[in-house]
Amino acid sequence: MKKFTYFTSEFVSPGHPDKVSDQISDAILDACLADDPNSRVACEVFCTTGLVVVGGEITTTTYIDVQEIVRKKISEIGYRPGMGFDSDCGTLSCIHSQSPDIAMGVDVGGAGDQGIMFGGAVKETEELMPLALVLSREILVRLTKMMKAGEIAWARPDQKSQVTLAYDENGNIDHVDSIVVSVQHNEEVSHAEIEKTVIEKVVNPVLEKYKLNTENIKYYINPTGRFVVGGPHGDTGLTGRKIIVDTYGGYFRHGGGAFSGKDPSKVDRSAAYAARWVAKNVVAAGFADKCEIQLSYAIGVAKPVSIKVDTFGTAKVDEDKISKAIAKVFDLSPKGIEKALELREGKFKYQDLAAFGHIGRTDIDTPWERLNKIEELKKAINL
């Protein structure tokens, strides 16, 4: 009898209350960077029934209309009157400038804080991402698009998914064990219709794309039987509470720092992107089938305090050689990361990353997904 190990990842929609907060935080960051690329931003958002509170530290030369940004983003997400939360909500702004004690270290090119950041890559999908996370995300991308297009008229913005995969004793994916989808809905639709629509029109087309074994799959669609009250009306939202969704769905470790609302001088964000960039190029170069990079920083210090490589026993090249090659090829100082990954150039919107994940995106040209260091790495290792 076969023995399996099970791994699960989840994802949440743009209408999830925490994601509403993340997107507003990053929309404010985008507005600051649009007119002042050197803005220093650390913006947090709390949202609940009828109220959005924006707080944090912002130093910028431009003016931003916080109320307009908040209301526009809520409307874009799809919350309408009658849902308990919509763009006609109260807004409270509690913003002040960045601490001069922090600015002192950042001004000279150092990190904006201490901390540890992780990035990873694995040969489970074309984009070198964990498959469970990719499936969870694609289910909600499809569901959200169909909701906004009116193809699923009863659906509302707050949605969650979860995918469990079974791995055999060799570490290969054997089958899909279970799928969980919870979708907010109006009063009129029946549970039977929700279940049928989600499985047939949303989940199955995603699974078919990957040609997976789904013979004995278990479905849990709105398992409580009812999900009418949702969004910030059903549960408060807060920036930075979905950090595992933002990255690898728990497949790789996470340093604990959130991304949204932070300008690129904050290594919580920029170094996590850089660690993904490094890990993806290491795997794509053929050095390992799976790679996790850990970077650590001290506030006000430019170079990483440490660089750690973990290939989980899949390395084709000695890990110490990989680590030395990384240090030689990549400038992992905050300023070096900002320049290499074009983090202040306005080529993408941070608020779009807050909606469907920061890592492994194929619909947005994010520089940390580019495989542009393979040859340099090979040369550094003399391959």
Side-chain angles (χ1 to χ4, degrees), residues 181-194:
V181 179
S182 295
V183 52
Q184 186 187 8
H185 57 87
N186 63 24
E187 291 270 10
E188 292 74 30
V189 67
S190 69
H191 184 268
E193 182 179 345
I194 293 171

Side-chain angles (χ1 to χ4, degrees), residues 18-33:
D18 295 328
K19 276 290 144 204
V20 172
S21 295
D22 284 344
Q23 289 166 91
I24 293 172
S25 292
D26 274 337
I28 290 170
L29 171 64
D30 285 334
C32 291
L33 295 178

Side-chain angles (χ1 to χ4, degrees), residues 25-26 28-30 32-33 36-44 57-60 98 102-103 106-107 110-113 258-271 273 334-335 337-338 343-344 350:
S25 292
D26 274 337
I28 290 170
L29 171 64
D30 285 334
C32 291
L33 295 178
D36 179 11
N38 295 314
S39 295
R40 303 276 175 80
V41 181
C43 177
E44 308 275 343
E57 303 80 48
I58 296 180
T59 300
T60 185
Q98 184 181 59
I102 296 175
V106 178
D107 289 342
D113 201 353
F259 301 161
S260 291
K262 297 178 181 177
D263 75 84
S265 72
K266 278 73 172 174
V267 284
D268 278 341
R269 170 169 235 153
S270 57
Y273 293 169
K335 289 291 186 183
I337 293 170
E338 282 188 17
L343 297 180
R344 291 188 184 269
Y350 285 104

Side-chain angles (χ1 to χ4, degrees), residues 135-136 139 161-165 176-181 198-199 203-204 206-207 214 217-223:
L135 293 174
S136 299
I139 286 168
S161 64
Q162 188 170 285
V163 175
T164 300
L165 300 178
V176 182
D177 181 74
S178 63
I179 302 280
V180 182
V181 179
V198 169
I199 293 173
V203 176
N204 286 349
V206 171
L207 297 180
T214 59
I217 192 169
K218 298 182 287 289
Y219 290 102
Y220 302 94
I221 311 300
N222 280 15

Side-chain angles (χ1 to χ4, degrees), residues 3-21:
K3 292 183 179 180
F4 299 111
T5 301
Y6 298 90
F7 178 76
T8 304
S9 282
E10 71 158 351
F11 214 81
V12 300
S13 71
H16 185 281
D18 295 328
K19 276 290 144 204
V20 172
S21 295

